[in-house]
Amino acid sequence: MTTPENKTGQPLVHLGITRPEELSTLFAELRGRFDADCACAHDESSWKQFRDAWLGRKSGVLTQITENWLKPATLGLKRVVGASLNELRAHVESQIEARRIAIESRGEESSLLRERIDLSLPGVIRPIGSHHLIRQVFQEIEDIFVSIGFSVVEGPEIETPYYNFEALNIPEFHPVRDDMDTFYLELPPSSDKNAAPTPLLLRTHTSPMQIRTMEKQKPPVRVIVPGKVYRRDNPDATHSFAFHQIEGLAVDTDITFCDFTGTIEYFVKQFFGPSVKTRFRPSYFPFTEPSVEFDVSCPFCGGTGAAAGGGTCSKCKGAAWIELFGAGMVDPAVYGFVNYDAKKVSGFAFGIGIDRLAMLKYGIDDIQVFFQNDVRILRQFP
Ligand code: PHE
């Protein structure tokens, strides 16, 4: 059987075509085949194959027609073959080009689709953390003291008994050590001669940094020391084996008890608001003399002891005052440990328990929440 394909491989006489009218069926057949092929070219590579099959210079269908039909055609047929060929060529060329554009733009469309970025889509929202409430309270207190000339220093949580006790005027067997149930660390003996003398302990307060600071620098000294401290307390709503303090120390040649109470009052008013009152009561610490305990008039009931809706204030338990922290004038004996001249310098020190302060200020009734780090609670203090 002669298909349109192999028809173009033979001269018209072999196909038995002698009259011009017969040509139109032949060309119509070819055109039909072309249109069918064209519809099959879906992508770039099938389009190229298709283009070469029709327009290829050596063996493309149009070249074959020129070679096999046109050139050997009788004079009677030549003009019609030429005209039909031109018509077919115009159709073939324009359709192949149209096909190329269609395929290309479809490619662009799909790559556009693939690479499409919708800027109006909401982004990936990653949860942003916040400072822990304890860290926030540290920051708040640091800001207050920095604003009046104190600097912030930090010290080791693992201490020697010398810094935690002896140099703070707490000799071995001093009964005060009983108040500070201490974690001692059992470390394997070290061969390093420079290693710290054992036993080591977890500092029970930030006060060792009083000593370390004064060892390093001459007066004037004005530092605060935020940090973690440890005591062997059983955990309950108000006790934890780890908690937080800020130590304060100011030493200079002319610091009086008035500077001391004035500074504390300034801090308390900054922290709780200008309407609170402060008072101090005699107390005892081996490293301060005199020692005091500072109280603040309850900021929640306005120092009345009564709750707004009747009954007693739940924060101060009706006492109208809240115990805040221990403090005092630096005991002259301490200066002896750091080579300060006790006759020339004076100063004050205080140790603020941060956890209790944070619980009071932010209405938290269980110290354990500070260590559980439940995000449902952390999120309430962004
Ligand atoms: N270090 C004491 C404590 O933890 C507090 C304190 C600090 C008292 C500084 C006086 C001066 O209880």
Side-chain angles (χ1 to χ4, degrees):
M1 206 178 89
T2 311
T3 63
E5 210 160 343
N6 55 32
K7 276 183 188 168
T8 54
Q10 315 166 41
L12 292 173
V13 272
H14 288 197
L15 299 172
I17 291 172
T18 50
R19 287 176 299 127
E21 308 84 73
E22 291 165 317
L23 283 170
S24 60
T25 336
L26 198 60
F27 274 95
E29 217 173 82
L30 267 176
R31 196 181 168 122
R33 193 184 113 209
F34 170 82
D35 289 343
D37 280 4
C38 188
C40 294
H42 287 301
D43 54 19
E44 202 181 314
S45 82
S46 63
W47 173 84
K48 273 185 179 156
Q49 257 184 348
F50 164 67
R51 177 198 60 189
D52 295 346
W54 285 86
L55 294 174
R57 275 219 276 150
K58 272 206 182 119
S59 54
V61 175
L62 297 186
T63 304
Q64 285 182 32
I65 297 174
T66 312
E67 294 299 321
N68 301 328
W69 291 359
L70 183 66
K71 285 186 180 172
T74 57
L75 270 181
L77 287 181
K78 206 164 210 152
R79 203 181 48 80
V80 188
V81 174
S84 304
L85 178 59
N86 281 345
E87 212 176 282
L88 181 65
R89 183 187 301 282
H91 178 69
V92 165
E93 282 175 350
S94 73
Q95 287 308 297
I96 284 182
E97 179 59 8
R99 197 73 199 156
R100 185 187 67 76
I101 290 169
I103 290 170
E104 225 166 62
S105 74
R106 215 183 317 126
E108 263 165 35
E109 242 168 60
S110 68
S111 69
L112 268 182
L113 222 61
R114 227 181 309 120
E115 291 157 19
R116 195 169 81 138
I117 297 173
D118 183 348
L119 294 176
S120 69
L121 276 177
V124 179
I125 297 171
R126 302 185 197 285
I128 295 177
S130 58
H131 283 143
H132 191 281
L133 187 57
I134 291 290
R135 183 63 246 158
Q136 292 182 37
V137 174
F138 268 146
Q139 193 64 54
E140 220 176 308
I141 298 177
E142 285 169 25
D143 287 347
I144 295 170
F145 281 103
V146 164
S147 77
I148 52 172
F150 284 73
S151 27
V152 182
V153 294
E154 285 183 79
E157 290 174 20
I158 294 177
E159 267 297 5
T160 63
Y162 176 78
Y163 286 108
N164 198 78
F165 297 125
E166 271 109 82
L168 286 164
N169 205 24
I170 313 174
E172 209 174 356
F173 307 118
H174 192 291
V176 145
R177 291 206 188 190
D178 292 347
D179 292 343
M180 293 191 179
D181 291 313
T182 309
F183 287 112
Y184 285 91
L185 301 174
E186 253 178 44
L187 298 173
S190 168
S191 54
D192 180 358
K193 276 201 222 80
N194 297 323
T198 47
L200 292 175
L201 50 79
L202 295 180
R203 66 177 176 192
T204 57
H205 49 178
T206 41
S207 302
M209 275 306 285
Q210 290 189 29
I211 306 301
R212 287 184 181 276
T213 306
M214 288 190 283
E215 273 183 350
K216 265 207 227 129
Q217 94 186 60
K218 290 282 153 222
V221 170
R222 279 176 186 77
V223 291
I224 50 167
V225 189
K228 233 185 252 146
V229 300
Y230 302 86
R231 289 184 204 177
R232 263 183 46 216
D233 285 330
N234 288 324
D236 62 24
T238 53
H239 292 87
S240 162
F241 60 83
F243 54 103
H244 305 83
Q245 289 188 336
I246 284 192
E247 191 79 6
L249 174 69
V251 181
D252 208 337
T253 49
D254 51 4
I255 290 186
T256 65
F257 197 86
C258 281
D259 295 322
F260 167 43
T261 53
T263 305
I264 299 301
E265 191 163 324
Y266 174 78
F267 158 67
V268 171
K269 283 190 192 305
Q270 288 291 311
F271 189 77
F272 283 111
S275 57
V276 295
K277 292 198 267 304
T278 51
R279 73 175 185 191
F280 56 84
R281 294 171 288 118
S283 183
Y284 174 75
F285 301 100
F287 40 96
T288 46
E289 184 61 35
S291 301
V292 301
E293 202 74 49
F294 264 97
D295 296 345
V296 60
S297 62
C298 179
F300 306 98
C301 60
T304 60
T312 52
C313 169
S314 65
K315 303 280 184 150
C316 64
K317 311 271 183 305
W321 292 90
I322 290 176
E323 233 181 272
L324 269 193
F325 53 85
M329 298 301 285
V330 177
D331 192 310
V334 172
Y335 296 130
F337 288 93
V338 295
N339 290 324
Y340 276 18
D341 185 346
K343 288 200 193 72
K344 289 196 181 137
V345 296
S346 57
F348 60 84
F350 54 88
I352 308 175
I354 300 304
D355 309 74
R356 221 173 74 82
L357 218 57
M359 288 166 74
L360 260 177
K361 185 159 177 176
Y362 294 100
I364 290 168
D365 56 12
D366 186 350
I367 193 175
Q368 302 303 328
V369 305
F370 291 142
F371 305 96
Q372 289 156 349
N373 290 329
D374 187 328
V375 287
R376 288 169 301 184
I377 289 177
L378 297 180
R379 279 201 194 112
Q380 294 175 40
F381 305 99

